[in-house]
Amino acid sequence: MADVQDQFSALLETLASPDNEARNRGEEQYNAIPIDQRLNLLLGSIETSSSTTLRAFAAILLRRLLTNSWEVFAVSPMETQNMFKAKLLELLKRESDESARKKLSDTVSEVARNLQDGEGNMNWDELLKFMFNCCNTGTAQHKESALSILNSVPDIFGSAQQNYMGLIKEMLFAP
């Protein structure tokens, strides 16, 4: 698997190439990879790359892929979805680079938007706990990530917002 991940990282570098011809070839290769595999490879690149630029780029591509192909993620087994979401939160929490962290926050926000049901209920309880913990026990960077998600998905608490009002105030006014 490491070999496949290394090859994919090289492909991401090609996608960022200033050489138009190389980038076009890279896009063809990238688009030929099945979406479910791309999701995992992009997440793996965020996890394993030592390059902050590559991690940020992978987060951007992951958000775009989720935006344009949500149905592929939505029909994957619940266990796979849960592992993916947990890994995404773990990577956001440990990301040290500001730019990559912002891109990961945007990706988490995209997943959150898609996990709200038609009645405005959030179907990702771990995210709400994560945001609360980031605001109350995390660093300033963690709090910034949580507030960025809240800013991107203001209705994240859905129809239960009144029930969470005390928690929201705690998050906003945590030191």
Side-chain angles (χ1 to χ4, degrees):
M1 180 65 180
D3 188 40
V4 172
Q5 192 65 57
D6 291 341
Q7 290 174 359
F8 188 75
S9 292
L11 176 59
L12 291 181
E13 290 176 15
T14 302
L15 290 173
S17 170
D19 179 359
N20 203 29
E21 203 171 297
R23 194 173 52 251
N24 287 338
R25 282 191 312 272
E27 287 174 4
E28 287 177 18
Q29 290 177 324
Y30 177 79
N31 290 327
I33 300 170
I35 292 171
D36 58 334
Q37 289 178 18
R38 268 189 275 166
L39 289 169
N40 289 322
L41 288 166
L42 288 165
L43 197 63
S45 292
I46 296 166
E47 181 175 21
T48 61
S49 179
S50 60
S51 165
T52 57
T53 304
L54 193 66
R55 289 195 311 270
F57 185 49
I60 290 168
L61 291 175
L62 181 58
R63 180 184 50 79
R64 286 181 185 166
L65 188 58
L66 287 165
T67 299
N68 297 325
S69 304
W70 178 255
E71 65 283 350
V72 173
F73 180 80
V75 298
S76 63
M78 191 56 64
E79 182 179 327
T80 302
Q81 290 182 35
N82 289 338
M83 288 185 339
F84 184 90
K85 294 182 301 186
K87 178 59 75 175
L88 196 55
L89 292 179
E90 174 193 323
L91 294 172
L92 176 56
K93 186 172 184 175
R94 75 173 206 215
E95 180 57 60
S96 59
D97 179 72
E98 182 178 353
S99 175
R101 193 173 48 252
K102 174 64 176 125
K103 307 295 188 275
L104 273 168
S105 293
D106 293 344
T107 303
V108 168
S109 297
E110 184 60 32
V111 173
R113 269 190 290 281
N114 281 291
L115 287 174
Q116 287 181 304
D117 66 18
E119 297 171 13
N121 297 310
M122 173 54 63
N123 293 314
W124 191 6
D125 294 336
E126 297 82 6
L127 175 60
L128 301 178
K129 292 174 191 166
F130 173 83
M131 291 172 60
F132 179 75
N133 288 337
C134 283
C135 285
N136 289 291
T137 60
T139 64
Q141 292 84 4
H142 291 141
K143 183 174 182 177
E144 182 180 325
S145 293
L147 295 178
S148 174
I149 294 166
L150 181 60
N151 185 53
S152 294
V153 192
D155 59 342
I156 198 164
F157 297 99
S159 58
Q161 184 168 328
Q162 268 317 109
N163 300 341
Y164 287 108
M165 197 52 71
L167 180 68
I168 295 169
K169 288 178 182 177
E170 279 185 58
M171 284 175 58
L172 293 174
F173 298 110

